[in-house]
Amino acid sequence: MSRQIRDVMSPGTAAVEPMTTVARAARLMSEQDIGDVLVAYDCDLFGVLTDRDIAVRVVAQGRDPQVTTVGSVCTRPPVVTLSPEDSTDRAAELMRLHSVRRLPVVEHGGCPVGMVTLGDLAAADDPRSALADISRAVPNH
């Protein structure tokens, strides 16, 4: 049964500006126990930086996270987004089409208001599934 994204998304987002260093973004991810940050100027979504981006585009390439900016290594526009009114079926379709596990949720005008993950969709679809259990587990412990 399809539901609205607002019913399953994680509200709030962590965001940094494109000129923020990767090291600062990584500290923010660590502090908030999250795997991604949005890269934005106020309501203008510039990209998404994931922990995988840091590993593959910074560490594996020998770049210095103290000077490398998130804008230079994040996943760039067009960033696939959802609105809170979109359906979970639409989210699953976009994740499948773009091979992503999470999507920013934006209000009218592009202001980020949350994030929806593959785990959020699994928990909404079947709360007893293995993916739902994993998604609810305390991260990194």
Side-chain angles (χ1 to χ4, degrees):
M1 172 174 119
S2 187
R3 299 168 69 181
Q4 281 192 325
I5 292 301
R6 77 171 70 258
D7 298 328
V8 300
M9 72 180 201
S10 299
T13 59
V16 296
E17 292 187 348
M19 295 308 294
T20 304
T21 66
V22 169
R24 175 65 197 119
R27 282 191 300 276
L28 180 62
M29 289 178 183
S30 176
E31 290 163 4
Q32 295 192 17
D33 244 349
I34 54 177
D36 59 81
V37 293
L38 299 180
V39 181
Y41 289 117
D42 296 319
C43 285
D44 186 19
L45 187 57
F46 180 82
V48 177
L49 181 75
T50 67
D51 46 12
R52 185 177 190 285
D53 293 330
I54 294 171
V56 172
R57 296 179 184 161
V58 180
V59 176
Q61 292 184 10
R63 296 174 78 174
D64 184 352
Q66 298 295 335
V67 296
T68 303
T69 64
V70 298
S72 68
V73 294
C74 68
T75 301
R76 302 288 292 273
V79 176
V80 180
T81 62
L82 293 165
S83 80
E85 293 79 29
D86 279 324
S87 70
T88 54
D89 287 345
R90 174 80 175 133
E93 175 186 326
L94 287 172
M95 287 179 182
R96 187 177 301 112
L97 181 65
H98 296 280
S99 300
V100 295
R101 293 176 176 89
R102 56 188 77 136
L103 294 167
V105 181
V106 298
E107 289 276 337
H108 311 288
C111 285
V113 295
M115 187 72 74
V116 67
T117 67
L118 187 58
D120 294 331
L121 298 182
D125 187 44
D126 181 2
R128 296 182 319 258
S129 72
L131 184 52
D133 287 345
I134 292 166
S135 297
R136 284 190 299 267
V138 178
N140 300 319
H141 294 280

